[in-house]
Amino acid sequence: MRGEVATDYMARALAQARMALGHVSPNPAVGAVIVKRRNIIGAGYTQPPGSAHAEVVALEQAGEAARGATMYVTLEPCAHFGRTPPCTEAIISAGISEVHMALLDPNPLVSGRGQRQLEEAGIKTYLGEHEEEARELNEAYLKFITTSLPFVIAKFAVSLDGKIATKTGNSKWISGPEARRQVHELRHIVDAVMVGVNTVLADDPQLTARQVKGGASRQPLRVIVDSYGRTPPRAQALKGPGTTLIATTDALRPGRAKALKEAGAELLALPESEEGMADLAELLRALGQRQITSVLVEGGGALLGSLFDLRLVDKVVAFIAPIIIGGVASATIEGQGVEKVGQALRLGRLRVERVGDDVMIVGYPGKGQPEGTRE
C-alpha cells in the first residue's frame, strides 16, 4: 500500500537473537519470527543448551496459525539430531510456506542441508538478509565451530595520550561509568575473561559481570595467565561466583600450587613460550576443549602484546578517555612491536561510537571471520 512503512522482519529476528547472548553458549544465539498477513504471530530465540531452538519457540507461539506463514530466522535451521531434534522437521510439519535465512551454516552437519530439506518439502527459501549483522552477532560461535578455538577479544581503556595507568600504576578509573557498564555487558556475553598476573597484582580485579541489565545469569570463567604462581591467594579474582583458572607452567613451585588450589583456583600447567610465559596458543586450545567459545582479554600490556605478536586476536574493543596522563611508562600494548609504521597491524570493519564521555573503537585485525553451526 502506498505510504505504508515496510516492516524489517529479519531485523526483528536479530533483536530476538540478541536476547540469547550470554545464555546459550556453545550454541549460537539465534532469533526467529513468523509472519502472516504482515503480522508477527510468533517470535523466539534460542534457549539454553538442550532446550528449544529459536524456530521451535516461535512455532509453538504461532500454533496452528503458522500454516502458510513465513519464517525469518538469523541462521540456517539445523537439519540433524543433536541435543534436540532437527528444526527443519518442525518447520515442515508446521506448514510454513517460506523461510528467510540471514546466514547459511557451513558446518558439514548442516552446511546447506537445512535449506535443501526445506526446498525439497516445497518450502521457498531466501538467503542473505542482514547477513553481516547476523555474522557479527555470532562471530564467536562461527569461529569456534570451524576451528575449535575461542574467539579472542582484546579490550582496553586508554587516555588520550595512550596510557593505561599513571606513573605510580594507578588506573582507576580511566574510562567513565558508561564505558565500564558496557564492559560488564561484554563480560556477560563471553565465556571467559582473561588477564595477566600483573593486572591482578596492580588492580586486584573481580573479573565478574555485575552491572548487567536484568542481572547476570552466569559468570564467565576467570583466566589468569601466571607462569610462576604470583597470584595472591586472597585475590578478588579467586572469590565470588564462578570459576578461576590459573594458566601456569612447570616453573610453579608445589607450595604455591597448594596455596592457590586451597584458595579455590583450578591450575592448568602449560609449556613455556620463548618469553617464559605460559604458551598462549596452547592455552586457547585448552579453552576450546572446554567449549569456551569466546575470551575477553582485559590486560595487561604484556599479555595483550604477546597475543598481538602471535596474531591470536580476532577483535579489538578500545575505549579512549578524554584525559591526558603523561609520562613514559604504562604502554597499552607491549610485546615485540614493529619496526615500521607500514608493518603495523591495521584494523578493518571499524565502528566508532561515543559512550558517555569516552569514545569506543571496535575493529577486526585482518580479514573476515569463519562460519559455523549449532548442536
Side-chain angles (χ1 to χ4, degrees), residues 152 192-201 205 207 221-232 237-238 244-249 252 260 265-273 275-284 287 295-304 306-307 310 312:
V152 178
V193 175
M194 182 187 296
V195 295
V197 66
N198 289 334
T199 295
V200 174
L201 295 172
L207 303 179
L221 173 70
R222 299 183 289 274
V223 181
I224 302 172
V225 181
D226 182 3
S227 301
Y228 304 103
R230 294 189 293 143
T231 299
L238 301 183
T244 301
L245 175 71
I246 297 181
T248 185
T249 66
L252 177 64
L260 291 170
E266 178 184 345
L267 303 183
L268 174 64
L270 296 167
E272 277 192 30
S273 66
E275 295 76 24
M277 180 185 289
D279 189 305
L280 296 176
E282 285 297 324
L283 173 57
L284 292 179
L287 292 176
V295 179
L296 179 66
V297 184
E298 297 199 28
L303 176 59
L304 286 170
S306 294
L307 287 167
L310 295 169
L312 295 176

Tab-separated table of all heavy atoms in Angstrom, residues 152 192-201 205 207 221-232 237-238 244-249 252 260 265-273 275-284 287 295-304 306-307 310 312:
chain	number	residue	atom	x	y	z
A	152	VAL	N	38.837	-14.400	20.266
A	152	VAL	CA	39.600	-13.598	21.237
A	152	VAL	C	39.332	-12.113	21.009
A	152	VAL	O	39.607	-11.579	19.932
A	152	VAL	CB	41.109	-13.889	21.133
A	152	VAL	CG1	41.884	-13.018	22.118
A	152	VAL	CG2	41.373	-15.376	21.399
A	192	ALA	N	34.675	-16.449	28.809
A	192	ALA	CA	35.817	-16.321	29.714
A	192	ALA	C	36.377	-14.904	29.658
A	192	ALA	O	36.311	-14.242	28.625
A	192	ALA	CB	36.911	-17.328	29.355
A	193	VAL	N	36.928	-14.464	30.795
A	193	VAL	CA	37.644	-13.190	30.890
A	193	VAL	C	39.076	-13.518	31.289
A	193	VAL	O	39.311	-14.284	32.228
A	193	VAL	CB	37.005	-12.261	31.938
A	193	VAL	CG1	37.841	-10.998	32.108
A	193	VAL	CG2	35.582	-11.909	31.545
A	194	MET	N	40.038	-12.961	30.562
A	194	MET	CA	41.442	-13.298	30.786
A	194	MET	C	42.259	-12.058	31.122
A	194	MET	O	42.071	-11.002	30.505
A	194	MET	CB	42.031	-13.971	29.531
A	194	MET	CG	43.475	-14.420	29.670
A	194	MET	SD	44.189	-15.020	28.090
A	194	MET	CE	43.152	-16.452	27.776
A	195	VAL	N	43.172	-12.197	32.098
A	195	VAL	CA	44.136	-11.136	32.417
A	195	VAL	C	45.482	-11.779	32.727
A	195	VAL	O	45.564	-12.975	33.015
A	195	VAL	CB	43.698	-10.279	33.633
A	195	VAL	CG1	42.426	-9.512	33.345
A	195	VAL	CG2	43.557	-11.146	34.882
A	196	GLY	N	46.526	-10.957	32.687
A	196	GLY	CA	47.838	-11.395	33.131
A	196	GLY	C	47.981	-11.175	34.618
A	196	GLY	O	47.249	-10.376	35.227
A	197	VAL	N	48.925	-11.842	35.229
A	197	VAL	CA	49.088	-11.748	36.681
A	197	VAL	C	49.445	-10.327	37.119
A	197	VAL	O	49.083	-9.901	38.225
A	197	VAL	CB	50.148	-12.760	37.174
A	197	VAL	CG1	51.539	-12.419	36.639
A	197	VAL	CG2	50.149	-12.822	38.692
A	198	ASN	N	50.150	-9.556	36.280
A	198	ASN	CA	50.496	-8.189	36.674
A	198	ASN	C	49.252	-7.334	36.881
A	198	ASN	O	49.236	-6.450	37.745
A	198	ASN	CB	51.398	-7.543	35.617
A	198	ASN	CG	52.792	-8.147	35.617
A	198	ASN	OD1	53.246	-8.662	36.633
A	198	ASN	ND2	53.467	-8.100	34.480
A	199	THR	N	48.201	-7.589	36.102
A	199	THR	CA	46.939	-6.867	36.295
A	199	THR	C	46.311	-7.246	37.627
A	199	THR	O	45.761	-6.396	38.338
A	199	THR	CB	45.972	-7.181	35.134
A	199	THR	OG1	46.524	-6.668	33.922
A	199	THR	CG2	44.601	-6.554	35.358
A	200	VAL	N	46.409	-8.510	37.999
A	200	VAL	CA	45.879	-8.954	39.293
A	200	VAL	C	46.638	-8.274	40.428
A	200	VAL	O	46.048	-7.788	41.406
A	200	VAL	CB	45.978	-10.486	39.420
A	200	VAL	CG1	45.578	-10.953	40.819
A	200	VAL	CG2	45.087	-11.155	38.371
A	201	LEU	N	47.960	-8.210	40.299
A	201	LEU	CA	48.774	-7.604	41.350
A	201	LEU	C	48.547	-6.100	41.454
A	201	LEU	O	48.545	-5.526	42.558
A	201	LEU	CB	50.261	-7.888	41.086
A	201	LEU	CG	50.679	-9.363	41.167
A	201	LEU	CD1	52.116	-9.535	40.698
A	201	LEU	CD2	50.508	-9.891	42.586
A	205	PRO	N	41.379	-7.058	40.357
A	205	PRO	CA	40.025	-7.003	39.800
A	205	PRO	C	39.197	-8.226	40.186
A	205	PRO	O	39.733	-9.309	40.450
A	205	PRO	CB	40.281	-6.976	38.290
A	205	PRO	CG	41.544	-7.764	38.126
A	205	PRO	CD	42.385	-7.442	39.343
A	207	LEU	N	36.737	-9.376	38.014
A	207	LEU	CA	36.565	-10.046	36.720
A	207	LEU	C	35.208	-10.745	36.609
A	207	LEU	O	35.076	-11.780	35.948
A	207	LEU	CB	37.695	-11.055	36.462
A	207	LEU	CG	39.116	-10.484	36.497
A	207	LEU	CD1	40.134	-11.596	36.261
A	207	LEU	CD2	39.289	-9.371	35.475
A	221	LEU	N	34.155	-17.714	32.966
A	221	LEU	CA	35.348	-18.325	33.540
A	221	LEU	C	36.417	-17.246	33.651
A	221	LEU	O	36.683	-16.518	32.702
A	221	LEU	CB	35.838	-19.459	32.636
A	221	LEU	CG	37.177	-20.104	33.002
A	221	LEU	CD1	37.037	-20.922	34.276
A	221	LEU	CD2	37.683	-20.986	31.852
A	222	ARG	N	37.056	-17.134	34.823
A	222	ARG	CA	38.130	-16.163	35.005
A	222	ARG	C	39.463	-16.875	34.754
A	222	ARG	O	39.747	-17.888	35.386
A	222	ARG	CB	38.081	-15.575	36.419
A	222	ARG	CG	36.793	-14.832	36.711
A	222	ARG	CD	36.798	-14.201	38.095
A	222	ARG	NE	36.698	-15.173	39.162
A	222	ARG	CZ	35.549	-15.669	39.644
A	222	ARG	NH1	34.396	-15.295	39.099
A	222	ARG	NH2	35.535	-16.533	40.635
A	223	VAL	N	40.245	-16.340	33.837
A	223	VAL	CA	41.523	-16.959	33.470
A	223	VAL	C	42.646	-15.979	33.792
A	223	VAL	O	42.653	-14.839	33.307
A	223	VAL	CB	41.561	-17.324	31.966
A	223	VAL	CG1	42.895	-17.990	31.625
A	223	VAL	CG2	40.398	-18.242	31.607
A	224	ILE	N	43.604	-16.422	34.606
A	224	ILE	CA	44.775	-15.612	34.946
A	224	ILE	C	46.008	-16.293	34.362
A	224	ILE	O	46.278	-17.460	34.655
A	224	ILE	CB	44.935	-15.467	36.470
A	224	ILE	CG1	43.685	-14.841	37.085
A	224	ILE	CG2	46.175	-14.630	36.803
A	224	ILE	CD1	43.683	-14.844	38.606
A	225	VAL	N	46.744	-15.573	33.516
A	225	VAL	CA	47.986	-16.107	32.957
A	225	VAL	C	49.103	-15.775	33.937
A	225	VAL	O	49.472	-14.609	34.111
A	225	VAL	CB	48.269	-15.514	31.560
A	225	VAL	CG1	49.557	-16.102	30.988
A	225	VAL	CG2	47.092	-15.799	30.620
A	226	ASP	N	49.622	-16.801	34.596
A	226	ASP	CA	50.529	-16.603	35.730
A	226	ASP	C	51.542	-17.747	35.751
A	226	ASP	O	51.338	-18.773	36.400
A	226	ASP	CB	49.709	-16.569	37.024
A	226	ASP	CG	50.555	-16.324	38.260
A	226	ASP	OD1	51.775	-16.116	38.121
A	226	ASP	OD2	49.990	-16.353	39.371
A	227	SER	N	52.652	-17.573	35.065
A	227	SER	CA	53.627	-18.657	34.882
A	227	SER	C	54.229	-19.164	36.177
A	227	SER	O	54.532	-20.354	36.306
A	227	SER	CB	54.751	-18.183	33.956
A	227	SER	OG	54.230	-17.791	32.706
A	228	TYR	N	54.412	-18.284	37.159
A	228	TYR	CA	55.135	-18.666	38.376
A	228	TYR	C	54.263	-18.658	39.632
A	228	TYR	O	54.779	-18.754	40.740
A	228	TYR	CB	56.340	-17.737	38.574
A	228	TYR	CG	57.251	-17.732	37.372
A	228	TYR	CD1	57.248	-16.674	36.475
A	228	TYR	CD2	58.099	-18.808	37.115
A	228	TYR	CE1	58.070	-16.681	35.351
A	228	TYR	CE2	58.924	-18.824	36.007
A	228	TYR	CZ	58.903	-17.761	35.127
A	228	TYR	OH	59.714	-17.780	34.015
A	229	GLY	N	52.958	-18.507	39.473
A	229	GLY	CA	52.068	-18.578	40.624
A	229	GLY	C	52.173	-17.385	41.547
A	229	GLY	O	52.142	-17.536	42.775
A	230	ARG	N	52.268	-16.178	40.983
A	230	ARG	CA	52.380	-14.974	41.824
A	230	ARG	C	51.035	-14.432	42.268
A	230	ARG	O	50.961	-13.474	43.030
A	230	ARG	CB	53.148	-13.894	41.059
A	230	ARG	CG	54.609	-14.251	40.796
A	230	ARG	CD	55.365	-13.052	40.241
A	230	ARG	NE	54.901	-12.691	38.909
A	230	ARG	CZ	54.797	-11.437	38.467
A	230	ARG	NH1	55.092	-10.430	39.266
A	230	ARG	NH2	54.398	-11.205	37.228
A	231	THR	N	49.947	-15.038	41.814
A	231	THR	CA	48.614	-14.576	42.215
A	231	THR	C	48.435	-14.746	43.720
A	231	THR	O	48.618	-15.850	44.253
A	231	THR	CB	47.529	-15.390	41.487
A	231	THR	OG1	47.670	-15.202	40.078
A	231	THR	CG2	46.128	-14.961	41.921
A	232	PRO	N	48.076	-13.685	44.453
A	232	PRO	CA	47.859	-13.819	45.899
A	232	PRO	C	46.633	-14.690	46.182
A	232	PRO	O	45.596	-14.536	45.522
A	232	PRO	CB	47.614	-12.372	46.357
A	232	PRO	CG	48.167	-11.514	45.264
A	232	PRO	CD	47.967	-12.290	43.999
A	237	ALA	N	39.881	-12.078	42.356
A	237	ALA	CA	39.529	-12.953	41.234
A	237	ALA	C	39.351	-14.406	41.657
A	237	ALA	O	38.776	-15.200	40.906
A	237	ALA	CB	40.597	-12.860	40.147
A	238	LEU	N	39.820	-14.765	42.868
A	238	LEU	CA	39.648	-16.128	43.358
A	238	LEU	C	38.391	-16.274	44.197
A	238	LEU	O	38.072	-17.376	44.653
A	238	LEU	CB	40.868	-16.552	44.186
A	238	LEU	CG	42.220	-16.528	43.467
A	238	LEU	CD1	43.315	-17.045	44.383
A	238	LEU	CD2	42.171	-17.347	42.190
A	244	THR	N	37.758	-19.867	38.678
A	244	THR	CA	39.000	-19.203	38.270
A	244	THR	C	40.020	-20.257	37.847
A	244	THR	O	40.306	-21.191	38.595
A	244	THR	CB	39.588	-18.360	39.412
A	244	THR	OG1	38.634	-17.386	39.817
A	244	THR	CG2	40.863	-17.656	38.960
A	245	LEU	N	40.551	-20.086	36.650
A	245	LEU	CA	41.579	-20.966	36.113
A	245	LEU	C	42.884	-20.185	36.032
A	245	LEU	O	42.930	-19.106	35.439
A	245	LEU	CB	41.175	-21.457	34.720
A	245	LEU	CG	42.199	-22.294	33.960
A	245	LEU	CD1	42.332	-23.679	34.596
A	245	LEU	CD2	41.799	-22.423	32.493
A	246	ILE	N	43.943	-20.714	36.634
A	246	ILE	CA	45.258	-20.086	36.545
A	246	ILE	C	46.100	-20.878	35.563
A	246	ILE	O	46.369	-22.065	35.767
A	246	ILE	CB	45.944	-19.998	37.916
A	246	ILE	CG1	45.126	-19.106	38.853
A	246	ILE	CG2	47.362	-19.444	37.776
A	246	ILE	CD1	45.734	-18.931	40.234
A	247	ALA	N	46.470	-20.228	34.449
A	247	ALA	CA	47.316	-20.860	33.431
A	247	ALA	C	48.761	-20.640	33.830
A	247	ALA	O	49.262	-19.513	33.817
A	247	ALA	CB	47.029	-20.247	32.061
A	248	THR	N	49.435	-21.705	34.189
A	248	THR	CA	50.785	-21.603	34.708
A	248	THR	C	51.711	-22.560	33.951
A	248	THR	O	51.357	-23.052	32.887
A	248	THR	CB	50.778	-21.892	36.232
A	248	THR	OG1	52.068	-21.690	36.770
A	248	THR	CG2	50.303	-23.303	36.535
A	249	THR	N	52.895	-22.795	34.486
A	249	THR	CA	53.876	-23.673	33.852
A	249	THR	C	54.484	-24.597	34.901
A	249	THR	O	54.155	-24.510	36.092
A	249	THR	CB	55.009	-22.855	33.201
A	249	THR	OG1	55.754	-22.197	34.242
A	249	THR	CG2	54.451	-21.816	32.228
A	252	LEU	N	56.001	-23.441	38.362
A	252	LEU	CA	55.233	-23.184	39.586
A	252	LEU	C	55.697	-24.115	40.703
A	252	LEU	O	55.700	-25.337	40.554
A	252	LEU	CB	53.745	-23.401	39.311
A	252	LEU	CG	52.796	-23.250	40.500
A	252	LEU	CD1	52.803	-21.823	41.017
A	252	LEU	CD2	51.383	-23.667	40.105
A	260	LEU	N	47.243	-21.939	46.072
A	260	LEU	CA	46.267	-21.447	45.102
A	260	LEU	C	45.081	-22.395	44.983
A	260	LEU	O	43.924	-21.961	44.860
A	260	LEU	CB	46.939	-21.244	43.745
A	260	LEU	CG	47.939	-20.088	43.696
A	260	LEU	CD1	48.730	-20.101	42.397
A	260	LEU	CD2	47.227	-18.746	43.873
A	265	ALA	N	41.356	-21.954	43.287
A	265	ALA	CA	41.736	-21.877	41.872
A	265	ALA	C	41.920	-23.265	41.264
A	265	ALA	O	42.321	-24.213	41.942
A	265	ALA	CB	43.026	-21.078	41.721
A	266	GLU	N	41.639	-23.360	39.991
A	266	GLU	CA	41.968	-24.540	39.206
A	266	GLU	C	43.251	-24.207	38.452
A	266	GLU	O	43.369	-23.126	37.874
A	266	GLU	CB	40.843	-24.862	38.225
A	266	GLU	CG	41.116	-26.048	37.326
A	266	GLU	CD	40.022	-26.283	36.308
A	266	GLU	OE1	38.923	-25.718	36.459
A	266	GLU	OE2	40.289	-27.034	35.337
A	267	LEU	N	44.211	-25.119	38.441
A	267	LEU	CA	45.502	-24.865	37.805
A	267	LEU	C	45.610	-25.634	36.497
A	267	LEU	O	45.197	-26.793	36.402
A	267	LEU	CB	46.651	-25.257	38.732
A	267	LEU	CG	46.690	-24.589	40.109
A	267	LEU	CD1	47.926	-25.019	40.866
A	267	LEU	CD2	46.640	-23.068	39.980
A	268	LEU	N	46.180	-24.971	35.491
A	268	LEU	CA	46.426	-25.595	34.197
A	268	LEU	C	47.891	-25.383	33.842
A	268	LEU	O	48.325	-24.254	33.589
A	268	LEU	CB	45.530	-24.972	33.118
A	268	LEU	CG	45.788	-25.431	31.677
A	268	LEU	CD1	45.482	-26.922	31.526
A	268	LEU	CD2	44.962	-24.606	30.694
A	269	ALA	N	48.680	-26.464	33.858
A	269	ALA	CA	50.108	-26.377	33.536
A	269	ALA	C	50.287	-26.428	32.025
A	269	ALA	O	49.792	-27.345	31.360
A	269	ALA	CB	50.868	-27.517	34.201
A	270	LEU	N	50.990	-25.444	31.484
A	270	LEU	CA	51.207	-25.328	30.044
A	270	LEU	C	52.706	-25.259	29.744
A	270	LEU	O	53.500	-24.885	30.620
A	270	LEU	CB	50.532	-24.064	29.507
A	270	LEU	CG	49.008	-24.015	29.613
A	270	LEU	CD1	48.516	-22.601	29.340
A	270	LEU	CD2	48.377	-25.004	28.640
A	271	PRO	N	53.112	-25.561	28.522
A	271	PRO	CA	54.517	-25.363	28.142
A	271	PRO	C	54.871	-23.880	28.220
A	271	PRO	O	53.998	-23.020	28.097
A	271	PRO	CB	54.567	-25.865	26.695
A	271	PRO	CG	53.330	-26.678	26.494
A	271	PRO	CD	52.301	-26.113	27.414
A	272	GLU	N	56.161	-23.602	28.402
A	272	GLU	CA	56.626	-22.216	28.421
A	272	GLU	C	56.933	-21.754	26.997
A	272	GLU	O	57.469	-22.495	26.188
A	272	GLU	CB	57.895	-22.077	29.267
A	272	GLU	CG	57.634	-21.944	30.742
A	272	GLU	CD	58.879	-21.525	31.507
A	272	GLU	OE1	59.725	-20.821	30.915
A	272	GLU	OE2	59.004	-21.904	32.681
A	273	SER	N	56.580	-20.504	26.730
A	273	SER	CA	56.952	-19.897	25.456
A	273	SER	C	58.401	-19.431	25.538
A	273	SER	O	59.046	-19.510	26.585
A	273	SER	CB	56.038	-18.705	25.159
A	273	SER	OG	56.278	-17.675	26.114
A	275	GLU	N	59.372	-16.526	25.625
A	275	GLU	CA	59.448	-15.379	26.529
A	275	GLU	C	59.295	-15.792	27.988
A	275	GLU	O	59.292	-14.941	28.885
A	275	GLU	CB	58.355	-14.355	26.184
A	275	GLU	CG	58.505	-13.695	24.813
A	275	GLU	CD	58.083	-14.631	23.687
A	275	GLU	OE1	57.270	-15.556	23.944
A	275	GLU	OE2	58.572	-14.459	22.558
A	276	GLY	N	59.125	-17.090	28.260
A	276	GLY	CA	58.966	-17.551	29.631
A	276	GLY	C	57.542	-17.479	30.133
A	276	GLY	O	57.281	-17.758	31.310
A	277	MET	N	56.599	-17.131	29.255
A	277	MET	CA	55.192	-17.069	29.628
A	277	MET	C	54.517	-18.389	29.272
A	277	MET	O	55.010	-19.131	28.421
A	277	MET	CB	54.507	-15.911	28.872
A	277	MET	CG	53.033	-15.728	29.179
A	277	MET	SD	52.265	-14.427	28.150
A	277	MET	CE	53.003	-12.957	28.871
A	278	ALA	N	53.427	-18.697	29.941
A	278	ALA	CA	52.644	-19.864	29.565
A	278	ALA	C	52.259	-19.749	28.091
A	278	ALA	O	51.878	-18.677	27.627
A	278	ALA	CB	51.398	-19.955	30.442
A	279	ASP	N	52.383	-20.834	27.350
A	279	ASP	CA	52.135	-20.845	25.906
A	279	ASP	C	50.673	-20.466	25.635
A	279	ASP	O	49.748	-21.217	25.963
A	279	ASP	CB	52.439	-22.233	25.346
A	279	ASP	CG	52.421	-22.266	23.830
A	279	ASP	OD1	51.412	-21.862	23.240
A	279	ASP	OD2	53.432	-22.708	23.240
A	280	LEU	N	50.470	-19.308	25.014
A	280	LEU	CA	49.121	-18.783	24.832
A	280	LEU	C	48.334	-19.549	23.774
A	280	LEU	O	47.115	-19.709	23.905
A	280	LEU	CB	49.189	-17.295	24.479
A	280	LEU	CG	49.780	-16.402	25.566
A	280	LEU	CD1	49.881	-14.962	25.082
A	280	LEU	CD2	48.930	-16.472	26.834
A	281	ALA	N	49.009	-20.024	22.741
A	281	ALA	CA	48.310	-20.822	21.729
A	281	ALA	C	47.794	-22.119	22.347
A	281	ALA	O	46.659	-22.540	22.078
A	281	ALA	CB	49.237	-21.109	20.551
A	282	GLU	N	48.606	-22.735	23.198
A	282	GLU	CA	48.170	-23.946	23.887
A	282	GLU	C	47.039	-23.650	24.853
A	282	GLU	O	46.124	-24.460	25.029
A	282	GLU	CB	49.348	-24.585	24.631
A	282	GLU	CG	50.342	-25.298	23.741
A	282	GLU	CD	49.708	-26.489	23.020
A	282	GLU	OE1	48.844	-27.169	23.612
A	282	GLU	OE2	50.072	-26.718	21.851
A	283	LEU	N	47.095	-22.499	25.486
A	283	LEU	CA	46.023	-22.104	26.397
A	283	LEU	C	44.701	-21.990	25.654
A	283	LEU	O	43.668	-22.483	26.124
A	283	LEU	CB	46.378	-20.777	27.070
A	283	LEU	CG	45.276	-20.136	27.928
A	283	LEU	CD1	44.795	-21.083	29.024
A	283	LEU	CD2	45.778	-18.817	28.536
A	284	LEU	N	44.718	-21.357	24.490
A	284	LEU	CA	43.481	-21.217	23.714
A	284	LEU	C	42.961	-22.573	23.257
A	284	LEU	O	41.743	-22.818	23.254
A	284	LEU	CB	43.709	-20.296	22.517
A	284	LEU	CG	43.979	-18.821	22.858
A	284	LEU	CD1	44.216	-18.020	21.596
A	284	LEU	CD2	42.810	-18.221	23.654
A	287	LEU	N	41.285	-24.100	26.237
A	287	LEU	CA	39.983	-23.476	26.481
A	287	LEU	C	38.950	-23.966	25.472
A	287	LEU	O	37.784	-24.192	25.819
A	287	LEU	CB	40.118	-21.953	26.426
A	287	LEU	CG	40.934	-21.319	27.552
A	287	LEU	CD1	41.066	-19.812	27.327
A	287	LEU	CD2	40.297	-21.586	28.910
A	295	VAL	N	36.688	-15.349	24.469
A	295	VAL	CA	37.533	-14.877	25.565
A	295	VAL	C	37.692	-13.366	25.451
A	295	VAL	O	38.081	-12.858	24.395
A	295	VAL	CB	38.927	-15.538	25.527
A	295	VAL	CG1	39.793	-15.020	26.666
A	295	VAL	CG2	38.810	-17.060	25.602
A	296	LEU	N	37.401	-12.668	26.528
A	296	LEU	CA	37.615	-11.226	26.603
A	296	LEU	C	38.909	-10.989	27.364
A	296	LEU	O	38.997	-11.281	28.562
A	296	LEU	CB	36.441	-10.550	27.315
A	296	LEU	CG	36.527	-9.036	27.499
A	296	LEU	CD1	36.467	-8.324	26.153
A	296	LEU	CD2	35.407	-8.541	28.410
A	297	VAL	N	39.932	-10.476	26.690
A	297	VAL	CA	41.227	-10.228	27.319
A	297	VAL	C	41.285	-8.772	27.756
A	297	VAL	O	41.193	-7.858	26.936
A	297	VAL	CB	42.385	-10.538	26.351
A	297	VAL	CG1	43.726	-10.359	27.058
A	297	VAL	CG2	42.266	-11.958	25.814
A	298	GLU	N	41.456	-8.548	29.067
A	298	GLU	CA	41.386	-7.195	29.621
A	298	GLU	C	42.735	-6.646	30.076
A	298	GLU	O	42.797	-5.650	30.781
A	298	GLU	CB	40.385	-7.169	30.785
A	298	GLU	CG	38.960	-7.511	30.367
A	298	GLU	CD	37.929	-7.045	31.381
A	298	GLU	OE1	38.200	-6.056	32.095
A	298	GLU	OE2	36.871	-7.661	31.455
A	299	GLY	N	43.823	-7.277	29.702
A	299	GLY	CA	45.133	-6.734	30.063
A	299	GLY	C	45.947	-7.758	30.818
A	299	GLY	O	45.493	-8.883	31.028
A	300	GLY	N	47.166	-7.342	31.187
A	300	GLY	CA	47.755	-6.050	30.900
A	300	GLY	C	48.530	-6.004	29.602
A	300	GLY	O	48.345	-6.840	28.710
A	301	GLY	N	49.451	-5.020	29.549
A	301	GLY	CA	50.161	-4.765	28.328
A	301	GLY	C	50.998	-5.927	27.838
A	301	GLY	O	51.106	-6.155	26.631
A	302	ALA	N	51.617	-6.697	28.752
A	302	ALA	CA	52.456	-7.823	28.339
A	302	ALA	C	51.621	-8.912	27.681
A	302	ALA	O	51.981	-9.452	26.630
A	302	ALA	CB	53.228	-8.379	29.534
A	303	LEU	N	50.479	-9.250	28.305
A	303	LEU	CA	49.613	-10.291	27.753
A	303	LEU	C	49.027	-9.854	26.421
A	303	LEU	O	49.045	-10.610	25.443
A	303	LEU	CB	48.494	-10.614	28.748
A	303	LEU	CG	47.439	-11.618	28.271
A	303	LEU	CD1	48.089	-12.954	27.915
A	303	LEU	CD2	46.362	-11.801	29.340
A	304	LEU	N	48.536	-8.631	26.352
A	304	LEU	CA	47.977	-8.137	25.095
A	304	LEU	C	49.052	-8.105	24.003
A	304	LEU	O	48.799	-8.496	22.861
A	304	LEU	CB	47.390	-6.739	25.295
A	304	LEU	CG	46.068	-6.665	26.058
A	304	LEU	CD1	45.729	-5.216	26.407
A	304	LEU	CD2	44.930	-7.291	25.255
A	306	SER	N	51.726	-9.976	23.692
A	306	SER	CA	52.030	-11.332	23.233
A	306	SER	C	50.935	-11.865	22.315
A	306	SER	O	51.217	-12.502	21.293
A	306	SER	CB	52.198	-12.270	24.437
A	306	SER	OG	53.334	-11.913	25.199
A	307	LEU	N	49.691	-11.605	22.656
A	307	LEU	CA	48.582	-12.072	21.819
A	307	LEU	C	48.608	-11.402	20.448
A	307	LEU	O	48.370	-12.054	19.420
A	307	LEU	CB	47.248	-11.798	22.515
A	307	LEU	CG	46.937	-12.700	23.713
A	307	LEU	CD1	45.779	-12.137	24.510
A	307	LEU	CD2	46.621	-14.124	23.256
A	310	LEU	N	51.477	-12.822	18.335
A	310	LEU	CA	51.172	-14.160	17.842
A	310	LEU	C	49.977	-14.173	16.896
A	310	LEU	O	49.587	-15.239	16.413
A	310	LEU	CB	50.899	-15.097	19.031
A	310	LEU	CG	52.086	-15.361	19.961
A	310	LEU	CD1	51.625	-16.063	21.234
A	310	LEU	CD2	53.137	-16.201	19.235
A	312	LEU	N	46.844	-13.714	17.561
A	312	LEU	CA	45.771	-14.514	18.159
A	312	LEU	C	44.536	-13.682	18.490
A	312	LEU	O	43.558	-14.217	19.018
A	312	LEU	CB	46.278	-15.196	19.439
A	312	LEU	CG	47.388	-16.238	19.240
A	312	LEU	CD1	47.870	-16.767	20.586
A	312	LEU	CD2	46.899	-17.386	18.366
